[in-house]
PDB file of all heavy atoms in Angstrom:
ATOM      1  N   GLY A  98     147.654  43.820  56.317  1.00  0.00           N
ATOM      2  CA  GLY A  98     148.541  43.202  55.328  1.00  0.00           C
ATOM      3  C   GLY A  98     149.965  43.719  55.446  1.00  0.00           C
ATOM      4  O   GLY A  98     150.928  42.960  55.342  1.00  0.00           O
ATOM      5  N   GLU A  99     150.108  45.012  55.681  1.00  0.00           N
ATOM      6  CA  GLU A  99     151.438  45.609  55.846  1.00  0.00           C
ATOM      7  C   GLU A  99     152.121  45.060  57.091  1.00  0.00           C
ATOM      8  O   GLU A  99     153.308  44.725  57.062  1.00  0.00           O
ATOM      9  CB  GLU A  99     151.311  47.134  55.936  1.00  0.00           C
ATOM     10  CG  GLU A  99     152.595  47.849  56.258  1.00  0.00           C
ATOM     11  CD  GLU A  99     153.632  47.784  55.163  1.00  0.00           C
ATOM     12  OE1 GLU A  99     153.322  47.346  54.049  1.00  0.00           O
ATOM     13  OE2 GLU A  99     154.786  48.165  55.427  1.00  0.00           O
ATOM     14  N   GLN A 100     151.380  44.946  58.179  1.00  0.00           N
ATOM     15  CA  GLN A 100     151.964  44.393  59.402  1.00  0.00           C
ATOM     16  C   GLN A 100     152.382  42.945  59.192  1.00  0.00           C
ATOM     17  O   GLN A 100     153.445  42.523  59.655  1.00  0.00           O
ATOM     18  CB  GLN A 100     150.964  44.501  60.555  1.00  0.00           C
ATOM     19  CG  GLN A 100     150.747  45.923  61.026  1.00  0.00           C
ATOM     20  CD  GLN A 100     149.626  46.041  62.033  1.00  0.00           C
ATOM     21  OE1 GLN A 100     148.892  45.090  62.292  1.00  0.00           O
ATOM     22  NE2 GLN A 100     149.471  47.216  62.619  1.00  0.00           N
ATOM     23  N   HIS A 101     151.562  42.191  58.465  1.00  0.00           N
ATOM     24  CA  HIS A 101     151.887  40.790  58.184  1.00  0.00           C
ATOM     25  C   HIS A 101     153.145  40.707  57.314  1.00  0.00           C
ATOM     26  O   HIS A 101     154.053  39.906  57.587  1.00  0.00           O
ATOM     27  CB  HIS A 101     150.705  40.107  57.496  1.00  0.00           C
ATOM     28  CG  HIS A 101     150.939  38.678  57.149  1.00  0.00           C
ATOM     29  ND1 HIS A 101     151.046  37.694  58.106  1.00  0.00           N
ATOM     30  CD2 HIS A 101     151.121  38.068  55.959  1.00  0.00           C
ATOM     31  CE1 HIS A 101     151.278  36.541  57.511  1.00  0.00           C
ATOM     32  NE2 HIS A 101     151.331  36.741  56.202  1.00  0.00           N
ATOM     33  N   SER A 102     153.208  41.532  56.280  1.00  0.00           N
ATOM     34  CA  SER A 102     154.382  41.548  55.408  1.00  0.00           C
ATOM     35  C   SER A 102     155.630  41.953  56.179  1.00  0.00           C
ATOM     36  O   SER A 102     156.703  41.382  55.992  1.00  0.00           O
ATOM     37  CB  SER A 102     154.177  42.520  54.249  1.00  0.00           C
ATOM     38  OG  SER A 102     153.151  42.078  53.408  1.00  0.00           O
ATOM     39  N   GLN A 103     155.484  42.930  57.057  1.00  0.00           N
ATOM     40  CA  GLN A 103     156.619  43.372  57.868  1.00  0.00           C
ATOM     41  C   GLN A 103     157.084  42.257  58.798  1.00  0.00           C
ATOM     42  O   GLN A 103     158.277  42.049  58.970  1.00  0.00           O
ATOM     43  CB  GLN A 103     156.245  44.627  58.672  1.00  0.00           C
ATOM     44  CG  GLN A 103     157.383  45.194  59.485  1.00  0.00           C
ATOM     45  CD  GLN A 103     158.543  45.674  58.652  1.00  0.00           C
ATOM     46  OE1 GLN A 103     158.362  46.150  57.543  1.00  0.00           O
ATOM     47  NE2 GLN A 103     159.738  45.535  59.157  1.00  0.00           N
ATOM     48  N   ALA A 104     156.135  41.524  59.379  1.00  0.00           N
ATOM     49  CA  ALA A 104     156.498  40.408  60.260  1.00  0.00           C
ATOM     50  C   ALA A 104     157.212  39.309  59.469  1.00  0.00           C
ATOM     51  O   ALA A 104     158.222  38.756  59.938  1.00  0.00           O
ATOM     52  CB  ALA A 104     155.254  39.856  60.945  1.00  0.00           C
ATOM     53  N   LEU A 105     156.714  38.992  58.286  1.00  0.00           N
ATOM     54  CA  LEU A 105     157.370  37.981  57.448  1.00  0.00           C
ATOM     55  C   LEU A 105     158.781  38.420  57.061  1.00  0.00           C
ATOM     56  O   LEU A 105     159.726  37.619  57.109  1.00  0.00           O
ATOM     57  CB  LEU A 105     156.545  37.714  56.186  1.00  0.00           C
ATOM     58  CG  LEU A 105     155.243  36.949  56.369  1.00  0.00           C
ATOM     59  CD1 LEU A 105     154.498  36.860  55.035  1.00  0.00           C
ATOM     60  CD2 LEU A 105     155.494  35.561  56.926  1.00  0.00           C
ATOM     61  N   TYR A 106     158.920  39.676  56.698  1.00  0.00           N
ATOM     62  CA  TYR A 106     160.232  40.187  56.329  1.00  0.00           C
ATOM     63  C   TYR A 106     161.176  40.151  57.525  1.00  0.00           C
ATOM     64  O   TYR A 106     162.338  39.759  57.400  1.00  0.00           O
ATOM     65  CB  TYR A 106     160.114  41.615  55.790  1.00  0.00           C
ATOM     66  CG  TYR A 106     161.438  42.261  55.493  1.00  0.00           C
ATOM     67  CD1 TYR A 106     162.204  41.852  54.404  1.00  0.00           C
ATOM     68  CD2 TYR A 106     161.945  43.276  56.305  1.00  0.00           C
ATOM     69  CE1 TYR A 106     163.423  42.438  54.126  1.00  0.00           C
ATOM     70  CE2 TYR A 106     163.171  43.863  56.033  1.00  0.00           C
ATOM     71  CZ  TYR A 106     163.893  43.437  54.950  1.00  0.00           C
ATOM     72  OH  TYR A 106     165.110  44.015  54.690  1.00  0.00           O
ATOM     73  N   SER A 107     160.666  40.532  58.674  1.00  0.00           N
ATOM     74  CA  SER A 107     161.477  40.513  59.892  1.00  0.00           C
ATOM     75  C   SER A 107     161.941  39.089  60.208  1.00  0.00           C
ATOM     76  O   SER A 107     163.110  38.866  60.544  1.00  0.00           O
ATOM     77  CB  SER A 107     160.675  41.087  61.062  1.00  0.00           C
ATOM     78  OG  SER A 107     161.408  41.000  62.250  1.00  0.00           O
ATOM     79  N   ASP A 108     161.036  38.123  60.092  1.00  0.00           N
ATOM     80  CA  ASP A 108     161.398  36.722  60.325  1.00  0.00           C
ATOM     81  C   ASP A 108     162.442  36.262  59.309  1.00  0.00           C
ATOM     82  O   ASP A 108     163.396  35.560  59.665  1.00  0.00           O
ATOM     83  CB  ASP A 108     160.162  35.822  60.248  1.00  0.00           C
ATOM     84  CG  ASP A 108     159.200  36.055  61.399  1.00  0.00           C
ATOM     85  OD1 ASP A 108     159.611  36.662  62.416  1.00  0.00           O
ATOM     86  OD2 ASP A 108     158.031  35.631  61.279  1.00  0.00           O
ATOM     87  N   PHE A 109     162.270  36.654  58.053  1.00  0.00           N
ATOM     88  CA  PHE A 109     163.225  36.275  57.013  1.00  0.00           C
ATOM     89  C   PHE A 109     164.601  36.866  57.314  1.00  0.00           C
ATOM     90  O   PHE A 109     165.620  36.187  57.186  1.00  0.00           O
ATOM     91  CB  PHE A 109     162.730  36.738  55.644  1.00  0.00           C
ATOM     92  CG  PHE A 109     163.698  36.465  54.531  1.00  0.00           C
ATOM     93  CD1 PHE A 109     163.870  35.177  54.056  1.00  0.00           C
ATOM     94  CD2 PHE A 109     164.452  37.485  53.975  1.00  0.00           C
ATOM     95  CE1 PHE A 109     164.773  34.917  53.027  1.00  0.00           C
ATOM     96  CE2 PHE A 109     165.344  37.233  52.956  1.00  0.00           C
ATOM     97  CZ  PHE A 109     165.517  35.944  52.484  1.00  0.00           C
ATOM     98  N   VAL A 110     164.627  38.133  57.719  1.00  0.00           N
ATOM     99  CA  VAL A 110     165.895  38.786  58.031  1.00  0.00           C
ATOM    100  C   VAL A 110     166.568  38.094  59.221  1.00  0.00           C
ATOM    101  O   VAL A 110     167.774  37.838  59.202  1.00  0.00           O
ATOM    102  CB  VAL A 110     165.683  40.295  58.314  1.00  0.00           C
ATOM    103  CG1 VAL A 110     166.926  40.924  58.919  1.00  0.00           C
ATOM    104  CG2 VAL A 110     165.311  41.015  57.036  1.00  0.00           C
ATOM    105  N   LYS A 111     165.788  37.749  60.231  1.00  0.00           N
ATOM    106  CA  LYS A 111     166.360  37.060  61.398  1.00  0.00           C
ATOM    107  C   LYS A 111     166.934  35.705  60.998  1.00  0.00           C
ATOM    108  O   LYS A 111     168.039  35.338  61.408  1.00  0.00           O
ATOM    109  CB  LYS A 111     165.299  36.876  62.486  1.00  0.00           C
ATOM    110  CG  LYS A 111     164.940  38.146  63.209  1.00  0.00           C
ATOM    111  CD  LYS A 111     163.845  37.915  64.221  1.00  0.00           C
ATOM    112  CE  LYS A 111     163.383  39.205  64.854  1.00  0.00           C
ATOM    113  NZ  LYS A 111     162.254  39.004  65.761  1.00  0.00           N
ATOM    114  N   ALA A 112     166.177  34.960  60.193  1.00  0.00           N
ATOM    115  CA  ALA A 112     166.634  33.634  59.765  1.00  0.00           C
ATOM    116  C   ALA A 112     167.881  33.758  58.891  1.00  0.00           C
ATOM    117  O   ALA A 112     168.846  32.984  59.049  1.00  0.00           O
ATOM    118  CB  ALA A 112     165.522  32.910  59.009  1.00  0.00           C
TER     119      ALA A 112
END
Side-chain angles (χ1 to χ4, degrees):
E99 174 68 10
Q100 289 172 352
H101 179 69
S102 294
Q103 183 63 33
L105 288 176
Y106 175 72
S107 176
D108 292 343
F109 176 74
V110 168
K111 287 177 186 176

